[in-house]
Amino acid sequence: ILLVVMTINHLIWVSGGQTMLQLFTLEPFGQFGAAEGFILISGLLAGLVYSQPKYSYKQLKEKAFLRAFEIYKYHIVSLVALFFVMVTFLHFVPETETLWRMKLGNFIDEPVSSYLLSLLLINRPPFFDILPLYFMFMLCLPFMLLQLQKGRWWLLMAVSITLWLLSGSIKGQMLSEPLISLSPSLTADLGYFDPFAWQLLFTLGVVMGYVKRFSRFNVASHFMFNKLIVA
């Protein structure tokens, strides 16, 4: 449902219009949209699935790292495919250059440097910052679960909240000077999703999933049981 909602919103934005449908799809309950819910649920499922007792720490680390590099592989392959689509359009439909330059200006001006920086996940064009986000999440997941296994949920949440608070002071401009040394026309394109900010939702989800895995207390069943007793 959250993916459908995000698709609807982006199709509306790309068309440059607005519809009554957005009353239900665009943050209907305040400053929390489908993307926030999607990342929270992703963290919850990761915490629930990867904390299964059948996995040793070594096994869950291998499993998480394997998934992380699978995500990384799809990200790089997608960027290569996008680059060839862009080159094809620029050759056969040159009037689309303005649109491509708005989204992928770095790849037009400095294709080699841009792709090398994309391999390092520093250059993240619009709509291509989601998979790098999940790549980082999956790399950190084993260490997050290790802290939970040791009962250090408070430390994990303290670090996560601290990173979230500092995220506003970590700007893309900090990368501008090093990038200029590579090429004067290359600029930092870090995308919309700031990993230092969005990690808080994923971390919170992981904690919820881990607690659900090992907690014997079910809030919903407890509430219904109390209602039956009162009745």
Side-chain angles (χ1 to χ4, degrees), residues 133-183:
L133 192 70
Y134 276 94
F135 171 73
M136 296 180 223
F137 287 164
M138 294 308 295
L139 285 183
C140 295
L141 180 62
F143 307 103
M144 296 165 66
L145 291 175
L146 180 62
Q147 300 310 310
L148 292 174
Q149 289 172 0
K150 294 184 176 181
R152 298 174 184 165
W153 63 268
W154 54 271
L155 177 61
L156 177 61
M157 288 307 304
V159 171
S160 180
I161 292 172
T162 301
L163 288 174
W164 178 74
L165 291 172
L166 293 174
S167 63
S169 60
I170 304 174
K171 304 295 184 181
Q173 288 81 353
M174 295 178 180
L175 293 174
S176 298
E177 291 185 6
L179 291 178
I180 289 174
S181 64
L182 293 175
S183 173

Side-chain angles (χ1 to χ4, degrees), residues 63 69 79 81 87-88 91 99 102 143 149 159 171 175:
K63 183 177 175 66
F69 284 101
L79 274 177
V87 170
T88 302
H91 180 74
L99 175 62
M102 286 174 55
F143 307 103
Q149 289 172 0
V159 171
K171 304 295 184 181
L175 293 174

Side-chain angles (χ1 to χ4, degrees), residues 2-17:
L2 294 172
L3 284 173
V4 170
V5 168
M6 284 187 277
T7 302
I8 292 172
N9 287 333
H10 281 84
L11 288 175
I12 294 171
W13 293 331
V14 169
S15 68

